[in-house]
Amino acid sequence: MIQKIKHLLKKIPGSYDISCLISDPKMEFKNWLEYFDLKRRFGGKKKHTGERRGKLLIISLMGNLTSVAKMEILLAKSADFAGLEPVVLTNRWSWANRFYRAFGIKSFVYFDDFLAEARKHVNHAEVEKASHHIKTFDELMGYSFNGVNTGKYICSSLVRKTYSGVVEMDDPETQKKIREYLVETSINTMAALKIYEKHNPDAVLFLERGYTPYGEFFDVALNNKLNVVQWCGSHKSNSIILKRYNKNNQDQHPASLSPKTWNHLEELKWDAQKSKAIKEELFKNYASGEWFSDVGTQVRVKMSGADEVKKELGLDLSKKTAIVFSHLFWDATFFWGEDIFTNYREWFVETVKAACKNDKLNWVLKLHPANVVKLNRDGYKGELVEKQSIRESIGKLPPHIKVLEPSTKISTYSLFKVMDYCVTVRGTIGIESAMFGIPVFTAGTGRYDNHGFTIDSPNVEEYMKKMGKIETYPALTPHQIELAQKFAYGTFVLRPFDLKSISVEYAKDKKATQHVKFLAKNLEDLKHAEDVTAFGEWLVHSKDEDYVNESKL
């Protein structure tokens, strides 16, 4: 098998890394076969003949994630047809580079090539000095280097690697990692500055933007007032979300609604037909298992009736029920808005403590279902940090608190039938719950807070008071429900960018394996595809923060 691959490699220009052949030669051979098929269909000699409007720099540093590369290729070719030259920032040994070349994209910037020079421009003594002055978490979060919020990206990267959700500032190993990250992020920042200076892009495209080194490139792009766009997965297959960022909205969630989008929705005449449409959008995606299938949130679950759920959870039928929807403590931490607690773990622990004291209602702790897929992908075998937090900070839970495991067979949709209160920091579940008139208590900004249908708290003290008397809050008013449904309509109907020339689907396996396939037959077919034209038009000609499918208004 390896000899066959080596024979194929001789036909391909450029560097390649053969080390991965030993670990999974069958997959490698499959990738090469797909490469040749794509090259045959899309790698023609035809060049862009229209007026060039500048460059699009694509931050593509994920290596062998070829499924991601295919999505980036679609967007790159959209930009190419719209007049922006696609330039790919990548690592020299990345497998994904082959797929770009298959489509005739040959402009690459190798991140590796800039690191040595960038290192010379970092004063290591100054960085070391700064590390000794950073004693607290807040000081680390607030640390910046050359106008880049490197401290925040260090914190996010630390908790992602440790799965703890907490930056243990007193831990010697953590202190060592912080010092290493301070140097690394400083070098990355200098490399980003040099790359932007040399290649002078007009627009920059991101998938990831919250960890190092992506965050450094994101901040430098914003500081240079470039056309900065992030794409990410949607709540359903075959669609993505597109958000344009600037210094004013840089902490907003990509699926949030801009003031312009929200103002338009507020003024929209709401009727029973639209209300039905957004409810059906939720139901059909939950019922089919498509709801955020990129992380397998509704795989192997069942839709159950209220009585069945109450019985399975052992709820006291004489009491109301509050459900706490935990976040992944270690993923996308510190990305969006401002939290009133230090981190998701502290919020969860303090909320559970409040629940222990308030036995006037049933409490259900819904552990995030994405734990299953994401931890399987990472090969993590340790204890769930949510359970560890309960064990270490609380101990045995009282009988009025139940725990729903990430692998529960109860569909999240079924919980709307038994839930009287929803508790979250800023999870998507807050939008869904409010649609059905369920009061939503938030503990952070950056998504849907302060839009008239949530119960927000400015600080921990106010939040804890609310938890102590949560059962006294009434259901949402018809006006609040309408606002929530409008927001949901904007989020789940208007915001998704529907894909036509490429299919993106996820297997219902332990890792929610992604399958991406080009549906367009050839380059000419791709050029005139509806989605390709739409993205190019929005990228080049629009200044709106949100991509909105206006045909669905």
Side-chain angles (χ1 to χ4, degrees), residues 27 30-31 34 38 60 62-75 94-100 103 207 231-233 240 294 377 499 502-507 511-518:
M27 178 59 68
K30 180 181 177 181
N31 285 340
E34 184 176 14
L38 293 175
S60 180
M62 292 196 175
N64 288 343
L65 295 179
T66 50
S67 56
V68 171
K70 291 174 195 174
M71 271 304 310
E72 291 173 339
I73 286 166
L74 178 73
L75 301 178
S94 171
W95 216 119
N97 299 350
R98 306 296 183 283
F99 283 78
Y100 278 103
F103 284 77
L207 167 59
W231 72 272
C232 65
I240 57 175
D294 59 329
R377 286 174 180 170
L499 301 169
I502 194 171
S503 67
V504 182
E505 298 179 343
Y506 301 87
K511 296 184 179 181
T513 305
Q514 187 182 49
H515 298 286
V516 182
K517 182 179 179 181
F518 279 92

Side-chain angles (χ1 to χ4, degrees), residues 319-526:
K319 297 179 180 179
K320 293 181 178 180
T321 299
I323 303 184
V324 180
F325 291 86
S326 74
H327 295 254
L328 292 179
F329 295 177
W330 42 268
D331 191 29
T333 316
F334 318 123
F335 278 26
W336 323 119
E338 295 183 4
D339 294 350
I340 59 174
F341 290 91
T342 304
N343 50 57
Y344 288 145
R345 182 169 180 166
E346 182 186 343
W347 160 77
F348 181 75
V349 168
E350 294 305 314
T351 301
V352 176
K353 286 180 179 179
C356 290
K357 296 177 182 178
N358 186 353
D359 61 358
K360 295 178 182 178
L361 69 169
N362 303 301
W363 290 83
V364 178
L365 309 181
K366 177 72 166 68
L367 307 189
H368 204 295
N371 268 302
V372 176
V373 163
K374 292 207 169 192
L375 293 177
N376 278 331
R377 286 174 180 170
D378 290 357
Y380 179 80
K381 302 296 183 182
E383 183 182 18
L384 279 179
V385 67
E386 294 93 334
K387 288 189 170 182
Q388 180 190 38
S389 301
I390 294 172
R391 177 172 53 79
E392 294 179 348
S393 302
I394 299 166
K396 186 178 180 180
L397 294 172
H400 67 278
I401 300 180
K402 313 296 180 182
V403 177
L404 264 180
E405 301 282 350
S407 57
T408 179
K409 302 300 182 184
I410 299 175
S411 168
T412 303
Y413 192 90
S414 301
L415 299 178
F416 297 131
K417 303 171 185 177
V418 303
M419 174 172 35
D420 296 289
Y421 304 102
C422 169
V423 183
T424 179
V425 176
R426 60 174 65 81
T428 307
I429 190 66
I431 308 172
E432 306 161 53
S433 299
M435 277 179 50
F436 296 102
I438 300 168
V440 176
F441 294 80
T442 69
T445 66
R447 185 77 183 270
Y448 49 79
D449 56 286
N450 293 303
H451 283 78
F453 59 86
T454 55
I455 301 169
D456 310 311
S457 300
N459 52 54
V460 171
E461 183 181 5
E462 287 297 317
Y463 173 84
M464 296 303 287
K465 285 181 180 178
K466 288 167 183 167
M467 292 300 100
K469 58 178 181 180
I470 189 172
E471 74 283 354
T472 66
Y473 284 82
L476 299 188
T477 66
H479 176 64
Q480 289 174 313
I481 294 173
E482 180 178 305
L483 288 175
Q485 291 184 357
K486 284 182 174 181
F487 198 97
Y489 192 82
T491 302
F492 303 126
V493 176
L494 300 183
R495 289 296 316 282
F497 178 86
D498 295 325
L499 301 169
K500 306 292 185 182
S501 57
I502 194 171
S503 67
V504 182
E505 298 179 343
Y506 301 87
K508 295 182 178 180
D509 56 25
K510 292 182 178 181
K511 296 184 179 181
T513 305
Q514 187 182 49
H515 298 286
V516 182
K517 182 179 179 181
F518 279 92
L519 303 177
K521 296 179 180 179
N522 51 49
L523 199 60
E524 194 66 22
D525 196 17
L526 188 68

Side-chain angles (χ1 to χ4, degrees), residues 35 37 57 90 120 160 209 229 280 341 343-344 374 379 410 474 494 521-522 549:
Y35 164 83
D37 176 62
L57 181 65
T90 182
K120 296 177 184 178
R160 183 64 180 86
R209 46 144 291 191
V229 171
E280 287 181 346
F341 290 91
N343 50 57
Y344 288 145
K374 292 207 169 192
I410 299 175
L494 300 183
K521 296 179 180 179
N522 51 49
N549 192 333

Side-chain angles (χ1 to χ4, degrees), residues 11 42 197 295:
K11 300 180 180 181
F42 302 105
E197 180 182 352
V295 287

